[in-house]
Amino acid sequence: MVTKTRPVEVNQRIEAEAPAFRVRNLSFFYGREKVLKGITMDIPRHRVTAIMGPSGCGKSTFLRVLNRLYERIPGAKATGEVWLDGENILDPRLDVVALRRKVGMVFQKPNPFPKSIFDNVAYGPRIHGVRGRRKLSFIVERALRQAALWDEVKDKLKRSAFDLSGGQQQRLCIARALAVEPQVLLMDEPTSALDPAATAKIEELVRTLSQGFTVVIVTHNLQQAARVSHHTAFLLSGELVEYAPTEELFTRPKDPRTEDYLTGRFS
């Protein structure tokens, strides 16, 4: 006997398998300079996608397109389409505040606010209207647990965020991003300013977070891309040279430029 699948179950399965982002023919300009050149790719949901390539290839710019952070730069312009939840996020009519709630960002260097640990994490929820102390306490604890920081700071939430180590500050910034419950977490070289021990903690956290969030991470470190990501994209001079499951790209690259980059024949 054939068991029929209910329509709602089919829809849920399709939604779970759908990409987080559908990027189509994306180009980006700083004035007349073309920094990204016709990029097309799907970024899978609940996976870690690494973006790698030499300095100046457009990695960080690509990341900033995904939450339209580039709009703060005079003369910056994106063309093409980037689809998230059925909306082209490049549409000028889109609510950018709502977009950035869905798509959080963690920067290269830890940038905690000059506030307490608690107030750093509670900042976003307060901006979005959460006021009750009990609700805020729940959100702060949940975000700090998700960032693997709760056990280290639970008894000093009123202390300044600047009292934390560099690695702890970066995990606090991750918790701050997670507090507004984004779908996607963008990370721009999040370990470049950290020591090896702190880097290892962030890398372990990244893989854990992908169970509930889509993570896109820019990295110069090839070993890091291999360790933490499920898929890897290689950019060169603003072009998407190759994009594949990480193991496949690192062991069986299809483009000779990818192989040259992986083997250090150019950087």
Side-chain angles (χ1 to χ4, degrees), residues 4-265:
K4 293 184 178 181
T5 304
R6 291 182 298 171
V8 66
E9 294 174 340
V10 172
N11 291 338
Q12 288 172 346
R13 186 173 68 248
I14 292 173
E15 176 63 21
E17 295 172 353
F21 285 104
R22 300 180 190 271
V23 181
R24 297 293 181 268
N25 197 30
L26 170 66
S27 294
F28 187 85
F29 302 81
Y30 289 118
R32 295 183 178 180
E33 181 184 5
K34 193 172 187 179
V35 180
L36 298 176
K37 304 171 184 177
I39 292 176
T40 293
M41 62 187 292
D42 287 343
I43 296 177
R45 192 181 305 271
H46 293 170
R47 293 290 186 271
V48 181
T49 298
I51 312 295
M52 68 177 190
S55 296
C57 71
K59 302 186 300 297
S60 293
T61 297
F62 177 75
L63 213 63
R64 281 157 175 75
V65 170
L66 299 182
N67 68 351
R68 280 176 56 174
L69 198 60
Y70 65 85
E71 291 191 343
R72 302 178 182 182
I73 304 172
K77 181 180 73 171
T79 63
E81 299 177 343
V82 180
W83 294 90
L84 173 70
D85 291 341
E87 292 184 293
N88 177 15
I89 68 170
L90 301 185
D91 187 330
R93 297 167 294 181
L94 187 81
D95 184 342
V96 178
V97 174
L99 170 65
R100 292 176 185 155
R101 183 171 183 176
K102 291 181 181 180
V103 185
M105 184 85 171
V106 176
F107 295 93
Q108 185 173 1
K109 293 183 179 179
N111 61 339
F113 300 145
K115 300 174 180 287
S116 70
I117 294 168
F118 183 96
D119 287 339
N120 262 269
V121 183
Y123 180 83
R126 282 174 170 150
I127 289 294
H128 291 288
V130 180
R131 292 289 179 266
R133 183 72 182 188
R134 180 177 295 180
K135 178 64 173 176
L136 283 170
S137 295
F138 171 79
I139 292 171
V140 168
E141 179 176 345
R142 181 188 62 201
L144 288 169
R145 285 187 183 278
Q146 289 173 324
L149 189 58
W150 173 253
D151 289 340
E152 298 169 43
V153 302
K154 61 184 178 182
D155 296 323
K156 44 189 176 184
L157 295 177
K158 294 182 180 179
R159 291 177 58 177
S160 169
F162 296 132
D163 291 343
L164 300 175
S165 69
Q168 288 175 323
Q169 287 185 18
Q170 191 64 301
R171 281 183 283 147
L172 178 66
C173 292
I174 292 171
R176 189 175 67 199
L178 295 175
V180 295
E181 300 184 77
Q183 298 176 24
V184 181
L185 190 62
L186 309 177
M187 308 182 85
D188 191 1
E189 298 190 63
T191 64
S192 63
L194 304 181
D195 61 40
T199 294
K201 287 185 178 181
I202 296 290
E203 289 183 357
E204 181 180 359
L205 175 60
V206 167
R207 288 301 294 256
T208 300
L209 287 172
S210 70
Q211 297 173 21
F213 304 89
T214 300
V215 181
V216 186
I217 181 170
V218 162
T219 180
H220 274 295
N221 188 321
L222 300 183
Q223 291 76 24
Q224 181 173 82
R227 286 191 297 264
V228 306
S229 70
H230 301 93
H231 294 77
T232 298
F234 171 50
L235 298 186
L236 183 63
S237 300
E239 297 181 10
L240 178 61
V241 173
E242 192 160 351
Y243 179 48
T246 296
E247 183 178 1
E248 178 182 327
L249 185 140
F250 273 81
T251 59
R252 300 182 301 280
K254 293 182 172 62
D255 193 294
R257 293 171 293 176
T258 308
E259 185 171 3
D260 287 346
Y261 184 72
L262 293 173
T263 55
R265 284 194 282 269

